Each structure stands twice: as C-alpha cells, then as structure tokens.
Amino acid sequence: MFLELRQLDIHYPGSPTPAVHGVSLNLRAGDIGVLIGPSGCGKTTLLRAVAGLEPVSGGKILLSSRVVSEAGHTEPAESRRIGMVFQDYALFPHMDVGRNVGFGLNHLPKAERQQRVAEVLELVGLGGADKRYPHELSGGQQQRVALARALAPKPDLLLLDEPFSNLDIDLRERLAHEVRNILKAAKATALLVTHDQLEAFAIGDVIGVMNEGQLHQWDDAYSLYHRPATRFVADFIGHGVFTPATLREVNGQIMVDTPVGTLSDVAECPLPCAFEGGQCDVLLRADDIVHDDHAPVKAEIIRKAFRGSEFLYTLRLASGELLMAHVPSHHDHKLGEWIGIRAEVDHVVTFNRACPVQNRELCQMPCSKAQACEHTDPQYQPVKFV
Ligand code: ADP
C-alpha cells in the first residue's frame, strides 16, 4: 500500500466539529484515487494533511508504511516527496514554460534538467513549447504545464486539488481523460479532489465519497453506482429515488413489491429476513425505469430536463410516489402527460425504511442528506409537491 490513512481526525482550532473524522483508506502505488463530495465536506483539508500542510489531531497518515503524520507529529511537506497541482495553476507568469517546468529541478545539472523538462513536456503533449510564456497558452495547456511541473521531480505521490475547475465544461471532461492517460504513462500515484462526479469517474481507479468530514465509501465507480454503501452515496451519485418496498420469498425466488410493480428475476438482493417484515426502501435509479407505452403502470410527468440524447423525467405515480427516468430524447412528452413505465432492476439496493418523508428530493429537513435519516417523528409530514 502506498498511501494509508488510519482513522484520521483533523480539527481546526476553535471549530466545534472536526473537519475530517475517522477517515481510513488505502491507495496502491500507481493508482489514482479521487475524493468527491459537496463543498465543505473536508476534501481539501484531507489533501492538505496528506501534503503535510495541515496537522492531524488523531489517527495516522502513512507513506510507504512510514508514519508521516499523527497527533503531535507532522513530517514537513518538503521531505514527503509529494507534488501538488492546484486549481489556479500557479505558473510563474514571467518565466517561460521550460523554466516553469524546471523550477523544482535546480539540484540537477543543466543538461539533465533540460532533458527532464523536454521529457515531461512531451508526456503532457506540449513537446517543443518550452520557450512559450503562460499567457500565450490556453487554460487547458496551462494546466498541463502545471501538471508537467509537478511530475518533473518524479514525486512519489501527486496531489491535485480541483485541477479542472477553472476550465469550461467540455474541456474539463476531455482534460480529465488526458490527465488520466498522462498519470498512467508516468506510473504516478495520485490523489485528486473534485466536486464533479463525471470528472471523478473519468479519472479515478478508486473514488471516495465524503460528507460532513466522513468517508462514506472508498470504491470503484461501478460499485459506488450499483452498490452504494449508504443513503448519502446513493443520493449523491447518479439520479434516483428511494421508494418503499417489500421483499418476499416465493419458492426460493426473491420478489420485490414496489409502487411500480413487482420485481422478480433479480440478480442481487438481500433476503427478506434482513428487514422486519421484509419492509425496506429500495433505490430506483433513473436508468432502472423504462418508458414502455404498453406497460400497465402509468405515471405523470411533473418535471423534465433535457440532457442531449435523453430526458431526465421526474414522474409521479397515481399513488403519489415519485420516480425518475432517463428516456431517449425523441420521446418528447409534455408536462402533465401520463406515460407507461416499468422497472428493470438487476441489483436491488435496499436501505432500512426510516423516513416517512416520501419525496426526499424535496424534503427540507437537514437530515435528508445524512447517512441515516432521522425522520421518525410523526410531525414531519411528506412535503407536498406544488
Ligand atoms: P471541501 O474541500 O470539501 O470544500 P474543506 O476541507 O475546505 O472542504 O473544509 C472542511 C470544513 O473545514 C468546512 O467546514 C470548512 O469551513 C472548515 N475549514 C476549512 N479550512 C479551515 C480553516 N483554515 N480554519 C477553520 N475551518 C476551516
């Protein structure tokens, strides 16, 4: 394991709650880890602690099995062999690209330094650009120079803090793919922070979802989407709703009764005995709901968002339950129309049924974003859709 965090706590002086609490994760050499989560969840604090720029109040940070941070001890950033890339590139405007990239290589003889600069510029697709100045480059090119500069001294670990957030959206996704290829070609181990899931999926081998200082899941993209460990992860990744369901076993086969019909022939599902009376909440993703004119179940379109090749419809069943569905955009139905739908679910993701607020998306209580919903108080009525 190259980077290990063990039960990490980080407390800013004077703050009543820790910015990072009980975080454990492992990153293997050559892997790219990504931390995502809403603003203020502790991503940057965690990254800064790994860099040695923030002391920890509990737990440990290990680099190659060496403890570099624990309470009362912070090995200085300079001796950690870590490279950093920030969102504002931080290139020196008065230096050409070659000098910017060679900045951390002053210990090398000139010829070696020039060779390494040429090598990393080639790696980031800017071979021969060493005499150009930052203001002559596009935002994407400047960010690649910043990456080349961070890679030039061959750091053991590269930390990237929202490296694409100053770029426009098309460029961001393309650059995320490019950066992944560059990091893989350099055999770098990297930890990146972003709030953008598409970016995280494009770049990460392993992705951590954080909320309120805690790491909810550290996993590959497929597992985060299909096997979310907590309600927060299920809510944060992709589109979908939690809907009340009952699990039953009939002749050894699991059936799942949902407001949109009974699911059978499911590949993965907990046994009914995992929940009292088999009653639970099931996650129905927008891509689990299929528009089918012949389906007996109908739902009313109450909101729609155009996404290019598809619409994201928010639908309401006659029973009042809300669902979401991705529907190919040539099916351009009007708001208020009733369309046929059915559920096609392979992995049934279940959670304890705790929240009487039916429409979590519109729920205004603070716990709607929490790991375990606390809406057991009967005074909380479902929020009405208007
Ligand atoms: P993120 O990067 O996920 O947006 P941060 O790590 O910046 O989150 O912040 C996590 C929490 O720590 C927030 O509540 C933030 O207000 C607080 N925080 C961040 N930096 C400081 C600081 N220097 N002093 C006190 N509190 C801070």
Side-chain angles (χ1 to χ4, degrees):
M1 233 22 99
F2 184 71
L3 168 69
E4 269 184 84
L5 308 186
R6 292 190 195 150
Q7 288 299 320
L8 204 65
D9 280 334
I10 306 171
H11 230 118
Y12 286 110
S15 172
T17 51
V20 169
H21 182 52
V23 170
S24 297
L25 62 82
N26 292 330
L27 187 65
R28 287 184 312 196
D31 272 0
I32 304 172
V34 179
L35 295 171
I36 53 172
S39 180
C41 72
K43 308 179 290 292
T44 302
T45 301
L46 194 62
L47 206 70
R48 286 175 54 80
V50 173
L53 301 172
E54 209 62 68
V56 308
S57 37
K60 289 183 196 328
I61 301 176
L62 293 92
L63 286 172
S64 298
S65 308
R66 183 178 94 249
V67 177
V68 291
S69 289
E70 59 191 326
H73 166 68
T74 309
E75 188 178 301
E78 315 79 80
S79 53
R80 293 192 181 201
R81 294 197 40 80
I82 282 178
M84 286 201 79
V85 180
F86 301 98
Q87 56 178 278
D88 59 1
Y89 325 139
L91 297 179
F92 303 112
H94 57 287
M95 288 186 188
D96 65 21
V97 166
R99 286 176 62 207
N100 262 288
V101 174
F103 186 74
L105 303 178
N106 282 335
H107 58 288
L108 294 181
K110 190 171 174 200
E112 238 176 275
R113 188 164 70 227
Q114 283 174 341
Q115 192 194 339
R116 180 66 186 149
V117 167
E119 223 171 75
V120 281
L121 281 177
E122 199 65 47
L123 186 70
V124 301
L126 287 171
D130 53 324
K131 292 284 175 274
R132 298 173 73 184
Y133 279 83
H135 71 268
E136 298 172 327
L137 303 175
S138 69
Q141 288 171 327
Q142 289 185 38
Q143 192 53 301
R144 280 188 275 155
V145 174
L147 185 60
R149 183 177 60 184
L151 286 170
K154 300 187 178 164
D156 291 340
L157 176 66
L158 197 64
L159 302 176
L160 303 103
D161 189 2
E162 302 263 6
F164 313 112
S165 62
N166 286 344
L167 306 173
D168 67 56
I169 209 147
D170 283 351
L171 187 61
R172 276 161 70 161
E173 215 182 323
R174 210 178 68 221
L175 201 67
H177 284 287
E178 278 179 30
V179 166
R180 178 176 168 84
N181 293 339
I182 293 167
L183 293 175
K184 288 294 168 190
K187 298 188 169 53
T189 311
L191 186 62
L192 177 142
V193 156
T194 180
H195 60 272
D196 181 333
Q197 331 184 355
L198 289 180
E199 211 169 282
F201 289 162
I203 205 164
D205 296 304
V206 54
I207 298 163
V209 180
M210 289 185 70
N211 189 39
E212 295 179 347
Q214 294 185 319
L215 182 65
H216 281 232
Q217 193 167 356
W218 177 247
D219 225 328
D220 58 67
Y222 183 91
S223 303
L224 289 180
Y225 192 80
H226 291 286
R227 298 186 187 90
T230 66
R231 276 182 183 267
F232 178 79
V233 176
D235 224 10
F236 190 74
I237 302 285
H239 297 283
V241 297
F242 300 97
T243 198
T246 307
L247 310 182
R248 298 182 279 131
E249 198 170 337
V250 181
N251 300 329
Q253 200 191 349
I254 308 282
M255 308 284 227
V256 185
D257 297 325
T258 77
V260 70
T262 297
L263 312 174
S264 55
D265 200 21
V266 289
E268 257 179 55
C269 186
L271 292 172
C273 60
F275 302 96
E276 205 180 320
Q279 297 209 328
C280 58
D281 280 351
V282 162
L283 171 67
L284 290 177
R285 294 270 189 215
D287 45 323
D288 294 331
I289 304 297
V290 179
H291 170 33
D292 176 355
D293 285 331
H294 305 294
V297 178
K298 307 286 178 211
E300 183 187 5
I301 299 174
I302 54 172
R303 197 186 299 161
K304 64 192 239 190
F306 185 63
R307 309 250 155 161
S309 62
E310 63 194 16
F311 280 110
L312 175 63
Y313 283 128
T314 304
L315 303 166
R316 183 170 47 201
L317 296 166
S319 59
E321 294 293 338
L322 291 185
L323 296 168
M324 286 182 167
H326 285 146
V327 175
S329 63
H330 52 268
H331 293 276
D332 186 6
H333 296 279
K334 294 190 174 53
L335 291 181
E337 241 183 274
W338 288 75
I339 61 170
I341 52 162
R342 61 190 160 76
E344 267 184 21
V345 182
D346 218 25
H347 306 277
V348 180
V349 178
T350 52
F351 294 97
N352 282 324
R353 191 183 293 178
C355 180
V357 177
Q358 291 177 8
N359 183 356
R360 293 174 53 77
E361 200 199 1
L362 297 176
C363 175
Q364 285 153 7
M365 306 313 298
C367 72
S368 69
K369 289 279 169 207
Q371 178 175 357
C373 183
E374 288 153 7
H375 286 178
T376 43
D377 189 328
Q379 68 166 306
Y380 296 136
Q381 293 305 311
V383 178
K384 289 271 184 323
F385 192 88
V386 282

